Amino acid sequence: MSRSGKDPHERLKSGKNRSVSSSRWLQRQLNDPYVKQAKADGYRSRAAYKLVELDDRFAVLRGAKRVVDLGIAPGGWSQVMRQRIPQARIVGIDLLPTQAIEGVVILEMDFMDDAAPGLISAELGGAPDLVLSDMAANTVGHKQTDHLRTMGLVEAAADFAIQTLAPKGSFVAKVLAGGTDAALLALLKQHFTTIKHAKPPASRKDSSEWYLIAQGFKGGR
Ligand SMILES: C[S@@+](CC[C@H](N)C(=O)[O-])C[C@H]1O[C@@H](n2cnc3c(N)ncnc32)[C@H](O)[C@@H]1O
């Protein structure tokens, strides 16, 4: 530590116009083995490995023919799917632009827009057997607000999954620590045979994200 109480290493990388938090982010990126691996493997995000690990453990992609990728940008999960389930029809949506991925339909819009579910279904051309959501709300720094906004996205994604999934289908969604809230969990239990929570190794230990894996959709909405 320097006399100012700051880590000199951090100051070194901070530069003039970079905030300490963005410098920390950069330092973490540079030292992160998943970031290095993603570059080597040609994935657009380290997030790709979360889906790889969830699939290795829970076989979430096995046999999927129609998949929805909610919060697709920058596209790591869909890249993994193009490799693991090349026959599947994939439709993704994101608020942000996503560079084209061969074989993937990408909608650039807010999933919370009333028109979004209908547009996704029209592009899929049939009931999905897998609905994925890696959506995260932009944080505003107020813990409760951030939690509510992200859980709002999870609820909307779960709603969509329950409305559209084919029988035996699966729903995988990013949730926050503490898991899924009780009402949502009860609803999911009604509709799916098994519900699990997992934190894949690629998920940073200091992040509060977990993944919900609901499998065996019972149908009958
Ligand atoms: C963690 S990133 C997804 C990373 C992606 N799974 C990958 O492998 O590259 C979360 C994404 O959710 C998107 N998102 C957040 N809220 C959304 C909303 N209401 N509608 C659509 N996308 C949203 C964000 O724009 C962001 O790109």
Side-chain angles (χ1 to χ4, degrees), residues 10 26 45 93 99 109 123 131 144 170 185 197 208 215:
E10 194 167 78
L26 181 63
S45 61
I93 186 170
Q99 210 190 320
M109 69 184 294
E123 290 293 349
V131 173
Q144 260 175 321
S170 307
L185 201 57
H197 286 90
S208 57
Q215 291 172 297

Side-chain angles (χ1 to χ4, degrees), residues 11 14 32 40 57 90 94 101 126 135 137 144 164 169 212 217:
R11 280 205 308 165
S14 294
D32 184 331
R57 187 162 162 207
I90 303 169
D94 206 291
I101 301 170
M135 288 188 292
Q144 260 175 321
T164 61
L212 162 91
F217 183 61

Side-chain angles (χ1 to χ4, degrees), residues 45 47-48 69 71-77 93-96 109-112 134-137 153 174:
S45 61
D69 187 352
I72 186 176
W77 282 22
I93 186 170
D94 206 291
L95 291 167
L96 301 176
M109 69 184 294
D110 188 344
F111 176 64
M112 301 305 260
D134 198 20
M135 288 188 292
L153 291 172
K174 172 152 63 195

Side-chain angles (χ1 to χ4, degrees), residues 151 154 175-185 188 195-197 212:
M151 290 319 283
V154 178
V175 296
L176 296 178
T180 314
D181 82 25
L184 179 59
L185 201 57
L188 291 168
I195 293 172
K196 290 171 189 148
H197 286 90
L212 162 91

Side-chain angles (χ1 to χ4, degrees), residues 26-27 50 66 72 74 79 82 85 103 154 158 160 181:
L26 181 63
Q27 210 171 311
K50 298 178 197 171
R66 289 195 185 88
I72 186 176
Q79 287 182 297
R82 290 295 294 140
I85 42 169
V154 178
F160 174 75
D181 82 25

